[in-house]
Amino acid sequence: MKTLDTLQSTSKKVLFLDIETTGLNPGEHGIWQVGSCLSVQSDRLELLHLEERLFHPWQKEKVRRYVEGLLESVDLLVAHNVKFEQKFLRACGIESFPDTYCTMLSTTELCKIDRYVWDSWKGDYVRVGYKWPKLTEAIDILVGEKYGELLNVLGNGKYHDALWDVLQVVRVYAVLKGLEVRYDGLKVRKVHRLRKWLYRRRYDVFYEPYDNWFDRRVNNIKLTLFYKWQDLKWRIRQILGIEPDS
């Protein structure tokens, strides 16, 4: 198999990125999950490293250091709605980005999903072109089962999980560019599922609460223990004089 140094000499280094946030306003909300896939593109797409990291929303300096490390020496940044990612990353202090490619904008004319707005004069909705497709819509309309085997590296997953979404972005990009995807040398670094479960239920804006009373009760107990543990770690850091973001 070709090494990264060999591949870089004849191709470009591409970073696929997806973030999950606690809301839509970078002035009020923060990033809690980052999913990334480092790859090299030539006449095919060679996936090298797939990783996710969890953060508390106030850890903007920690997010900045981590993402700047990912962007170092990258030729192209690919995301679905890349301006959304950049907006939150700029709020963390990141100002310099490589060239970008947005799979959302690139699939708008291909998905052809009608966009309607309310016309108060006509008293009805009128069509005003095509709307920006969600990642799920781009997958359903353009990708289908293509490169579906790529998802096997994660097993089960769902949308609005940064690690799952970033692999879906890889699939959309590969279809748009007509590239073969190679991932036999892919290294995967995942967060323990219990830790992600706790973060998701604390920060994820897409989290759907339980309807069952017992499940809600168990969930509240787990969250209470989680909060107490976080508070204890914070106090230990204060005693030791360690910065909260370190």
Side-chain angles (χ1 to χ4, degrees):
M1 181 181 298
K2 295 181 180 180
T3 64
L4 177 58
D5 291 337
T6 304
L7 286 167
Q8 280 182 308
S9 62
T10 58
S11 54
K12 61 183 177 181
K13 196 173 176 183
V14 181
L15 179 70
F16 296 89
L17 190 72
D18 185 84
I19 63 172
E20 296 300 323
T21 65
T22 58
L24 301 178
N25 187 345
E28 300 176 2
H29 307 114
I31 297 170
W32 72 270
Q33 186 187 22
V34 176
S36 63
C37 184
L38 179 63
S39 64
V40 172
Q41 177 184 340
S42 53
D43 56 342
R44 65 189 183 190
L45 194 62
E46 186 99 19
L47 307 187
L48 302 175
H49 191 79
L50 178 67
E51 181 179 44
E52 68 174 326
R53 288 286 184 91
L54 302 182
F55 301 91
H56 297 296
W58 60 83
Q59 294 179 311
K60 293 187 176 182
E61 176 62 21
K62 196 171 183 179
V63 172
R64 182 190 67 78
R65 293 197 301 264
Y66 173 67
V67 176
E68 281 184 341
L70 293 175
L71 295 175
E72 187 178 3
S73 72
V74 166
D75 301 306
L76 182 67
L77 173 64
V78 180
H80 197 79
N81 193 358
V82 71
K83 288 186 177 180
F84 179 84
E85 262 76 4
Q86 287 179 306
K87 182 170 62 174
F88 271 87
L89 293 176
R90 284 194 176 98
C92 294
I94 300 175
E95 294 296 336
S96 179
F97 294 92
D99 292 339
T100 60
Y101 183 91
C102 182
T103 55
M104 181 186 73
L105 297 180
S106 299
T107 54
T108 301
E109 294 293 328
L110 297 173
C111 289
K112 298 184 184 301
I113 304 173
D114 290 336
R115 176 172 177 256
Y116 292 90
V117 297
W118 178 258
D119 189 326
S120 57
W121 290 98
K122 295 183 178 180
D124 198 1
Y125 286 97
V126 296
R127 181 182 176 277
V128 290
Y130 298 129
K131 83 176 190 72
W132 295 330
K134 299 177 182 177
L135 183 56
T136 53
E137 293 169 334
I139 289 291
D140 291 341
I141 296 172
L142 298 178
V143 181
E145 298 299 321
K146 295 177 183 176
Y147 311 115
E149 68 282 356
L150 178 60
L151 300 176
N152 294 334
V153 301
L154 295 181
N156 295 329
K158 61 180 180 179
Y159 289 100
H160 298 302
D161 176 273
L163 201 61
W164 181 264
D165 284 359
V166 82
L167 273 185
Q168 301 288 15
V169 174
V170 170
R171 295 175 68 202
V172 174
Y173 181 81
V175 168
L176 290 173
K177 297 296 184 179
L179 295 170
E180 174 193 359
V181 179
R182 297 291 301 274
Y183 60 95
D184 45 333
L186 178 64
K187 296 180 180 179
V188 182
R189 182 178 179 182
K190 298 190 291 185
V191 172
H192 191 281
R193 60 182 181 180
L194 176 58
R195 185 164 175 251
K196 184 156 64 174
W197 183 89
L198 290 169
Y199 272 70
R200 180 175 297 281
R201 275 144 187 78
R202 185 176 184 183
Y203 300 129
D204 191 3
V205 293
F206 295 101
Y207 165 62
E208 298 178 3
Y210 291 107
D211 293 327
N212 180 277
W213 176 88
F214 178 77
D215 288 339
R216 284 203 308 271
R217 180 73 174 178
V218 171
N219 184 54
N220 288 337
I221 292 173
K222 290 179 179 179
L223 284 177
T224 300
L225 294 174
F226 177 68
Y227 295 151
K228 290 184 178 296
W229 168 240
Q230 293 299 321
D231 183 62
L232 177 61
K233 289 199 298 183
W234 181 274
R235 292 179 184 276
I236 292 173
R237 288 191 180 107
Q238 286 183 320
I239 293 171
L240 298 177
I242 300 174
E243 294 277 342
D245 277 326
S246 60

PDB file of all heavy atoms in Angstrom, residues 13 24 30 33 37 63 72 91 104 108 112 143 147 151 156 172 178 190 201 224 239 241 244:
ATOM      1  N   LYS A  13      -4.347  16.414  -0.326  1.00  0.00           N
ATOM      2  CA  LYS A  13      -4.792  15.940   0.974  1.00  0.00           C
ATOM      3  C   LYS A  13      -6.155  16.565   1.292  1.00  0.00           C
ATOM      4  O   LYS A  13      -6.303  17.789   1.262  1.00  0.00           O
ATOM      5  CB  LYS A  13      -3.758  16.340   2.026  1.00  0.00           C
ATOM      6  CG  LYS A  13      -3.858  15.628   3.348  1.00  0.00           C
ATOM      7  CD  LYS A  13      -2.668  16.016   4.208  1.00  0.00           C
ATOM      8  CE  LYS A  13      -2.742  15.408   5.589  1.00  0.00           C
ATOM      9  NZ  LYS A  13      -1.600  15.851   6.425  1.00  0.00           N
ATOM     10  N   LEU A  24     -27.699  26.821  17.051  1.00  0.00           N
ATOM     11  CA  LEU A  24     -27.376  27.369  15.738  1.00  0.00           C
ATOM     12  C   LEU A  24     -26.623  28.685  15.788  1.00  0.00           C
ATOM     13  O   LEU A  24     -26.149  29.163  14.760  1.00  0.00           O
ATOM     14  CB  LEU A  24     -28.674  27.557  14.931  1.00  0.00           C
ATOM     15  CG  LEU A  24     -29.517  26.290  14.703  1.00  0.00           C
ATOM     16  CD1 LEU A  24     -30.794  26.644  13.944  1.00  0.00           C
ATOM     17  CD2 LEU A  24     -28.724  25.236  13.956  1.00  0.00           C
ATOM     18  N   GLY A  30     -22.098  26.182  21.449  1.00  0.00           N
ATOM     19  CA  GLY A  30     -20.752  25.691  21.215  1.00  0.00           C
ATOM     20  C   GLY A  30     -20.731  24.329  20.552  1.00  0.00           C
ATOM     21  O   GLY A  30     -21.774  23.708  20.321  1.00  0.00           O
ATOM     22  N   GLN A  33     -19.135  17.908  19.503  1.00  0.00           N
ATOM     23  CA  GLN A  33     -18.585  16.729  18.830  1.00  0.00           C
ATOM     24  C   GLN A  33     -17.974  17.134  17.486  1.00  0.00           C
ATOM     25  O   GLN A  33     -18.560  17.937  16.759  1.00  0.00           O
ATOM     26  CB  GLN A  33     -19.669  15.672  18.604  1.00  0.00           C
ATOM     27  CG  GLN A  33     -19.135  14.359  18.044  1.00  0.00           C
ATOM     28  CD  GLN A  33     -20.254  13.382  17.670  1.00  0.00           C
ATOM     29  OE1 GLN A  33     -21.390  13.794  17.443  1.00  0.00           O
ATOM     30  NE2 GLN A  33     -19.938  12.120  17.618  1.00  0.00           N
ATOM     31  N   CYS A  37     -12.368  12.903   8.786  1.00  0.00           N
ATOM     32  CA  CYS A  37     -11.810  11.809   7.995  1.00  0.00           C
ATOM     33  C   CYS A  37     -10.726  12.380   7.093  1.00  0.00           C
ATOM     34  O   CYS A  37     -11.019  13.144   6.176  1.00  0.00           O
ATOM     35  CB  CYS A  37     -12.891  11.115   7.169  1.00  0.00           C
ATOM     36  SG  CYS A  37     -12.290   9.670   6.264  1.00  0.00           S
ATOM     37  N   VAL A  63     -11.022  23.195  21.262  1.00  0.00           N
ATOM     38  CA  VAL A  63     -11.504  22.908  19.908  1.00  0.00           C
ATOM     39  C   VAL A  63     -10.579  23.550  18.876  1.00  0.00           C
ATOM     40  O   VAL A  63     -10.221  22.933  17.866  1.00  0.00           O
ATOM     41  CB  VAL A  63     -12.950  23.427  19.720  1.00  0.00           C
ATOM     42  CG1 VAL A  63     -13.375  23.300  18.261  1.00  0.00           C
ATOM     43  CG2 VAL A  63     -13.912  22.662  20.611  1.00  0.00           C
ATOM     44  N   GLU A  72      -3.877  21.472   9.402  1.00  0.00           N
ATOM     45  CA  GLU A  72      -2.491  21.709   9.041  1.00  0.00           C
ATOM     46  C   GLU A  72      -2.101  20.898   7.803  1.00  0.00           C
ATOM     47  O   GLU A  72      -2.288  19.688   7.764  1.00  0.00           O
ATOM     48  CB  GLU A  72      -1.570  21.354  10.212  1.00  0.00           C
ATOM     49  CG  GLU A  72      -0.122  21.723   9.993  1.00  0.00           C
ATOM     50  CD  GLU A  72       0.737  21.394  11.200  1.00  0.00           C
ATOM     51  OE1 GLU A  72       0.195  20.818  12.174  1.00  0.00           O
ATOM     52  OE2 GLU A  72       1.924  21.702  11.166  1.00  0.00           O
ATOM     53  N   ALA A  91     -15.704  31.179  15.610  1.00  0.00           N
ATOM     54  CA  ALA A  91     -16.040  31.577  16.981  1.00  0.00           C
ATOM     55  C   ALA A  91     -15.073  30.974  17.987  1.00  0.00           C
ATOM     56  O   ALA A  91     -14.933  31.483  19.105  1.00  0.00           O
ATOM     57  CB  ALA A  91     -17.473  31.155  17.309  1.00  0.00           C
ATOM     58  N   MET A 104     -23.383  20.336   0.194  1.00  0.00           N
ATOM     59  CA  MET A 104     -24.769  20.802   0.201  1.00  0.00           C
ATOM     60  C   MET A 104     -25.059  21.668  -1.020  1.00  0.00           C
ATOM     61  O   MET A 104     -26.033  21.440  -1.743  1.00  0.00           O
ATOM     62  CB  MET A 104     -25.059  21.578   1.487  1.00  0.00           C
ATOM     63  CG  MET A 104     -26.491  22.078   1.601  1.00  0.00           C
ATOM     64  SD  MET A 104     -26.754  23.120   3.044  1.00  0.00           S
ATOM     65  CE  MET A 104     -25.912  24.621   2.534  1.00  0.00           C
ATOM     66  N   THR A 108     -27.429  20.788  -4.722  1.00  0.00           N
ATOM     67  CA  THR A 108     -28.723  21.472  -4.791  1.00  0.00           C
ATOM     68  C   THR A 108     -29.392  21.301  -6.151  1.00  0.00           C
ATOM     69  O   THR A 108     -30.574  20.925  -6.248  1.00  0.00           O
ATOM     70  CB  THR A 108     -28.559  22.975  -4.490  1.00  0.00           C
ATOM     71  OG1 THR A 108     -27.997  23.137  -3.188  1.00  0.00           O
ATOM     72  CG2 THR A 108     -29.901  23.683  -4.553  1.00  0.00           C
ATOM     73  N   LYS A 112     -32.693  18.671  -6.857  1.00  0.00           N
ATOM     74  CA  LYS A 112     -33.904  19.314  -7.400  1.00  0.00           C
ATOM     75  C   LYS A 112     -35.112  19.190  -6.457  1.00  0.00           C
ATOM     76  O   LYS A 112     -36.201  18.760  -6.845  1.00  0.00           O
ATOM     77  CB  LYS A 112     -34.261  18.724  -8.772  1.00  0.00           C
ATOM     78  CG  LYS A 112     -33.188  18.938  -9.836  1.00  0.00           C
ATOM     79  CD  LYS A 112     -33.630  18.423 -11.182  1.00  0.00           C
ATOM     80  CE  LYS A 112     -32.545  18.526 -12.234  1.00  0.00           C
ATOM     81  NZ  LYS A 112     -32.065  19.903 -12.442  1.00  0.00           N
ATOM     82  N   VAL A 143     -27.028   9.134  -3.778  1.00  0.00           N
ATOM     83  CA  VAL A 143     -26.076   8.076  -3.428  1.00  0.00           C
ATOM     84  C   VAL A 143     -26.726   6.700  -3.363  1.00  0.00           C
ATOM     85  O   VAL A 143     -26.224   5.740  -3.948  1.00  0.00           O
ATOM     86  CB  VAL A 143     -25.375   8.405  -2.087  1.00  0.00           C
ATOM     87  CG1 VAL A 143     -24.369   7.311  -1.732  1.00  0.00           C
ATOM     88  CG2 VAL A 143     -24.680   9.748  -2.166  1.00  0.00           C
ATOM     89  N   TYR A 147     -21.293   2.768  -2.165  1.00  0.00           N
ATOM     90  CA  TYR A 147     -20.312   2.844  -1.077  1.00  0.00           C
ATOM     91  C   TYR A 147     -20.944   2.552   0.288  1.00  0.00           C
ATOM     92  O   TYR A 147     -20.424   2.978   1.321  1.00  0.00           O
ATOM     93  CB  TYR A 147     -19.623   4.216  -1.041  1.00  0.00           C
ATOM     94  CG  TYR A 147     -19.104   4.689  -2.364  1.00  0.00           C
ATOM     95  CD1 TYR A 147     -19.639   5.812  -2.982  1.00  0.00           C
ATOM     96  CD2 TYR A 147     -18.084   4.010  -3.018  1.00  0.00           C
ATOM     97  CE1 TYR A 147     -19.169   6.256  -4.211  1.00  0.00           C
ATOM     98  CE2 TYR A 147     -17.607   4.435  -4.250  1.00  0.00           C
ATOM     99  CZ  TYR A 147     -18.158   5.554  -4.842  1.00  0.00           C
ATOM    100  OH  TYR A 147     -17.695   5.986  -6.051  1.00  0.00           O
ATOM    101  N   LEU A 151     -19.840   2.095   5.512  1.00  0.00           N
ATOM    102  CA  LEU A 151     -20.428   2.315   6.830  1.00  0.00           C
ATOM    103  C   LEU A 151     -20.172   1.148   7.776  1.00  0.00           C
ATOM    104  O   LEU A 151     -20.369   1.265   8.986  1.00  0.00           O
ATOM    105  CB  LEU A 151     -21.931   2.554   6.696  1.00  0.00           C
ATOM    106  CG  LEU A 151     -22.340   3.755   5.835  1.00  0.00           C
ATOM    107  CD1 LEU A 151     -23.844   3.818   5.698  1.00  0.00           C
ATOM    108  CD2 LEU A 151     -21.803   5.050   6.429  1.00  0.00           C
ATOM    109  N   ASN A 156     -23.365   0.119  13.662  1.00  0.00           N
ATOM    110  CA  ASN A 156     -24.588   0.905  13.765  1.00  0.00           C
ATOM    111  C   ASN A 156     -24.264   2.383  13.920  1.00  0.00           C
ATOM    112  O   ASN A 156     -23.244   2.768  14.489  1.00  0.00           O
ATOM    113  CB  ASN A 156     -25.420   0.447  14.969  1.00  0.00           C
ATOM    114  CG  ASN A 156     -25.927  -0.977  14.795  1.00  0.00           C
ATOM    115  OD1 ASN A 156     -26.180  -1.401  13.669  1.00  0.00           O
ATOM    116  ND2 ASN A 156     -26.052  -1.710  15.879  1.00  0.00           N
ATOM    117  N   VAL A 172     -21.086  11.081  -0.462  1.00  0.00           N
ATOM    118  CA  VAL A 172     -21.635  12.079  -1.386  1.00  0.00           C
ATOM    119  C   VAL A 172     -20.525  12.651  -2.265  1.00  0.00           C
ATOM    120  O   VAL A 172     -20.681  12.770  -3.497  1.00  0.00           O
ATOM    121  CB  VAL A 172     -22.342  13.214  -0.602  1.00  0.00           C
ATOM    122  CG1 VAL A 172     -22.788  14.318  -1.559  1.00  0.00           C
ATOM    123  CG2 VAL A 172     -23.539  12.675   0.169  1.00  0.00           C
ATOM    124  N   GLY A 178     -17.060  11.103  -8.890  1.00  0.00           N
ATOM    125  CA  GLY A 178     -16.866   9.861  -9.634  1.00  0.00           C
ATOM    126  C   GLY A 178     -15.607   9.117  -9.228  1.00  0.00           C
ATOM    127  O   GLY A 178     -14.906   8.544 -10.075  1.00  0.00           O
ATOM    128  N   LYS A 190     -12.620   5.864  17.789  1.00  0.00           N
ATOM    129  CA  LYS A 190     -13.950   6.219  18.264  1.00  0.00           C
ATOM    130  C   LYS A 190     -13.927   6.482  19.764  1.00  0.00           C
ATOM    131  O   LYS A 190     -13.118   5.928  20.499  1.00  0.00           O
ATOM    132  CB  LYS A 190     -14.956   5.101  17.954  1.00  0.00           C
ATOM    133  CG  LYS A 190     -15.139   4.816  16.484  1.00  0.00           C
ATOM    134  CD  LYS A 190     -16.321   3.886  16.247  1.00  0.00           C
ATOM    135  CE  LYS A 190     -16.036   2.487  16.769  1.00  0.00           C
ATOM    136  NZ  LYS A 190     -17.156   1.557  16.431  1.00  0.00           N
ATOM    137  N   ARG A 201     -26.841  13.315  25.517  1.00  0.00           N
ATOM    138  CA  ARG A 201     -28.027  13.658  26.276  1.00  0.00           C
ATOM    139  C   ARG A 201     -27.891  14.962  27.037  1.00  0.00           C
ATOM    140  O   ARG A 201     -28.878  15.538  27.474  1.00  0.00           O
ATOM    141  CB  ARG A 201     -28.380  12.506  27.220  1.00  0.00           C
ATOM    142  CG  ARG A 201     -29.206  11.459  26.516  1.00  0.00           C
ATOM    143  CD  ARG A 201     -28.899  10.043  26.940  1.00  0.00           C
ATOM    144  NE  ARG A 201     -29.636   9.105  26.092  1.00  0.00           N
ATOM    145  CZ  ARG A 201     -29.279   8.778  24.862  1.00  0.00           C
ATOM    146  NH1 ARG A 201     -28.197   9.306  24.342  1.00  0.00           N
ATOM    147  NH2 ARG A 201     -29.995   7.948  24.150  1.00  0.00           N
ATOM    148  N   THR A 224     -27.292  13.179  36.494  1.00  0.00           N
ATOM    149  CA  THR A 224     -26.902  13.773  37.772  1.00  0.00           C
ATOM    150  C   THR A 224     -25.515  13.321  38.184  1.00  0.00           C
ATOM    151  O   THR A 224     -24.676  14.122  38.610  1.00  0.00           O
ATOM    152  CB  THR A 224     -27.923  13.405  38.867  1.00  0.00           C
ATOM    153  OG1 THR A 224     -29.214  13.895  38.490  1.00  0.00           O
ATOM    154  CG2 THR A 224     -27.519  14.027  40.199  1.00  0.00           C
ATOM    155  N   ILE A 239      -7.983  23.413  42.230  1.00  0.00           N
ATOM    156  CA  ILE A 239      -7.028  23.184  43.321  1.00  0.00           C
ATOM    157  C   ILE A 239      -5.613  23.052  42.777  1.00  0.00           C
ATOM    158  O   ILE A 239      -4.665  23.582  43.347  1.00  0.00           O
ATOM    159  CB  ILE A 239      -7.429  21.941  44.138  1.00  0.00           C
ATOM    160  CG1 ILE A 239      -8.758  22.200  44.880  1.00  0.00           C
ATOM    161  CG2 ILE A 239      -6.329  21.576  45.134  1.00  0.00           C
ATOM    162  CD1 ILE A 239      -9.331  20.972  45.538  1.00  0.00           C
ATOM    163  N   GLY A 241      -4.603  24.276  39.973  1.00  0.00           N
ATOM    164  CA  GLY A 241      -4.232  25.431  39.170  1.00  0.00           C
ATOM    165  C   GLY A 241      -4.183  25.139  37.683  1.00  0.00           C
ATOM    166  O   GLY A 241      -3.421  25.772  36.949  1.00  0.00           O
ATOM    167  N   PRO A 244      -9.263  25.320  32.831  1.00  0.00           N
ATOM    168  CA  PRO A 244     -10.413  24.479  32.495  1.00  0.00           C
ATOM    169  C   PRO A 244     -10.365  23.863  31.120  1.00  0.00           C
ATOM    170  O   PRO A 244     -10.867  22.787  30.898  1.00  0.00           O
ATOM    171  CB  PRO A 244     -11.605  25.459  32.628  1.00  0.00           C
ATOM    172  CG  PRO A 244     -11.109  26.539  33.520  1.00  0.00           C
ATOM    173  CD  PRO A 244      -9.631  26.659  33.255  1.00  0.00           C
TER     174      PRO A 244
END
